[in-house]
Amino acid sequence: MIKSTKKVVVSGAAGQIAYSLLFRLGAGALYGEDQDISLCLLDVPAADDRVTGVAMELADCAFPRVRSIIATNDPVVAFEGADVIFLVGAKPRGAGEERSDLLKENAKIFETQGEALNKVAGPDVKVLVVGNPANTNALVLARHAPNVPRRNITAMMRLDHNRAVSMLAGAADASVSEVTQMVVWGNHSSTMVADVSHAQIEGKPAQAVVDPAWLEGPFRSSVAERGSEIIRARGASSAASAANAALDHMRDWIHGSDGRWVTFGIFGGETYGFDADLVMGLPVICKNGDYEIVALEISAAVRERIVSSTNELAKEREAVWT
Ligand code: NAX
């Protein structure tokens, strides 16, 4: 059977995350080797030359499954007929700028993109917001795209999830595939809650395998501070690992997570008694092109930490709405 070409959109196409993401998409990392894709590169006019260069390199890879490469500055053109949209492009914090300025500047971008999505996107489109502040940008996007089901709009918490899994595996000298039931709750920020209370390593509770004092102390702070640590070491923010996490997120969503829990930034906090109008990290299982929130018991201590993170999200929401 001939499968119709899938349209995959990447915004921030001239940026460093896209420079990894686009080439892995071209190589078939999302849909595999028997599915044609059309790549759509969205960025601002100031980045036109760089996007042209990236498009030339993509063409030079001669990827067998890439049927077309389109570059545009117009989100309406980009989103029309899209199957999958990675919203990576965002405005970084400028010198002397406050976090609230960053929130407002980015809200404008995601407002415009939400309106475009609302106008042309199909009901099955899958959207992943990577650009920071990712959770609140996804909220803004959803508010401006009421025609798109809210569950189709997600924010990236997978890099935090992958970091936590990798650190646990390292501490236990186990393979990452043997680390299961990890959850990262809340905001993609330093308030995120990397929760090991359900985590298992090689089928045993993480607390029984790894020193609980390490789990309570260095592990928690290392997951939350990993991004800053990478900036200090590399002189630039995480790019290839962020692209990899974006692919993991979307691949699981499309093809299923095989019963494994993964963390999605989504609406749905009300399942746990949190504010329903926030996009927060929650545990999900992906199946049949969709996902289900995993229902768990949360201890009072973990809940208290999650509430600090959702309070931060509520403040971000307030900042973009005033
Ligand atoms: P870069 O600064 O390299 O690239 C950003 C690109 O976005 C630029 O090409 C810029 O022209 C473009 N852009 C700006 N406004 C746009 C708009 N309105 N429409 C389309 N494109 C637009 O950043 P990069 O390192 O690629 O990071 C991109 C975003 O990912 C940043 O906001 C970053 O903070 C965020 N991250 C999010 C992570 C997560 O886990 N959610 C982790 C990695 C990363 O820090």
Side-chain angles (χ1 to χ4, degrees):
M1 194 178 75
I2 298 172
K3 297 182 184 171
S4 59
T5 301
K6 300 285 186 194
K7 181 174 180 184
V8 181
V9 180
V10 176
S11 82
Q16 53 153 4
I17 294 176
Y19 196 64
S20 171
L21 178 59
L22 283 163
F23 292 85
R24 291 191 59 194
L25 285 165
L30 185 58
Y31 281 110
E33 285 173 11
D34 63 349
Q35 171 64 60
D36 285 348
I37 62 168
S38 158
L39 285 173
C40 180
L41 281 49
L42 173 67
D43 209 305
V44 293
D48 277 355
D49 288 347
R50 279 180 293 139
V51 171
T52 302
V54 173
M56 286 159 74
E57 279 205 78
L58 280 167
D60 292 352
C61 289
F63 288 124
R65 289 295 166 222
V66 176
R67 291 300 298 267
S68 63
I69 302 161
I70 312 150
T72 181
N73 303 132
D74 184 349
V76 172
V77 171
F79 300 161
E80 183 137 41
D83 293 283
V84 161
I85 302 176
F86 294 93
L87 294 179
V88 182
K91 192 181 169 293
R93 196 192 305 205
E97 233 179 17
E98 296 296 326
R99 187 167 163 84
S100 57
D101 297 328
L102 177 79
L103 282 159
K104 284 203 171 98
E105 286 300 312
N106 277 294
K108 280 187 222 150
I109 295 176
F110 286 84
E111 228 175 271
T112 309
Q113 294 186 348
E115 281 157 14
L117 200 65
N118 203 46
K119 221 183 263 176
V120 293
D124 297 325
V125 67
K126 289 182 163 56
V127 183
L128 173 62
V129 176
V130 175
N132 277 324
N135 305 52
T136 297
N137 288 341
L139 172 72
V140 173
L141 190 83
R143 286 220 173 159
H144 288 86
N147 295 338
V148 176
R150 280 193 149 194
R151 63 185 292 108
N152 296 23
I153 294 176
T154 64
M156 190 162 93
M157 300 287 296
R158 184 60 176 264
L159 182 53
D160 310 305
H161 181 105
N162 284 354
R163 285 169 173 165
V165 166
S166 175
M167 283 179 205
L168 280 182
D173 194 20
S175 140
V176 286
S177 57
E178 293 291 348
V179 178
T180 54
Q181 303 188 176
M182 181 67 215
V183 189
V184 184
W185 307 89
N187 198 3
H188 168 67
S189 77
S190 56
T191 67
M192 73 180 74
V193 181
D195 176 12
V196 292
S197 44
H198 309 273
Q200 304 235 319
I201 303 174
E202 293 172 336
K204 295 184 209 88
Q207 285 100 333
V209 181
V210 180
D211 178 9
W214 178 80
L215 287 173
E216 281 303 308
F219 167 75
R220 240 198 238 176
S221 51
S222 302
V223 177
E225 285 160 21
R226 186 69 163 183
S228 316
E229 215 188 312
I230 287 171
I231 293 175
R232 278 195 297 277
R234 204 172 89 85
S237 59
S238 320
S241 56
N244 180 67
L247 279 168
D248 282 350
H249 177 112
M250 206 51 102
R251 196 174 38 222
D252 283 345
W253 193 358
I254 294 170
H255 304 291
S257 62
D258 265 341
R260 291 172 73 86
W261 304 2
V262 290
T263 305
F264 270 28
I266 44 174
F267 292 102
E270 67 278 13
T271 316
Y272 282 97
F274 301 117
D275 189 332
D277 193 33
L278 295 175
V279 174
M280 63 179 289
L282 291 168
V284 301
I285 291 178
C286 303
K287 211 168 140 188
N288 302 328
D290 202 354
Y291 58 85
E292 264 171 36
I293 296 173
V294 183
L296 300 170
E297 291 288 324
I298 323 176
S299 69
V302 169
R303 179 171 288 275
E304 198 181 318
R305 288 166 56 211
I306 302 173
V307 167
S308 302
S309 197
T310 54
N311 284 346
E312 180 186 53
L313 282 168
K315 279 201 192 114
E316 290 187 9
R317 178 178 59 194
E318 209 177 302
V320 297
W321 253 258
T322 49

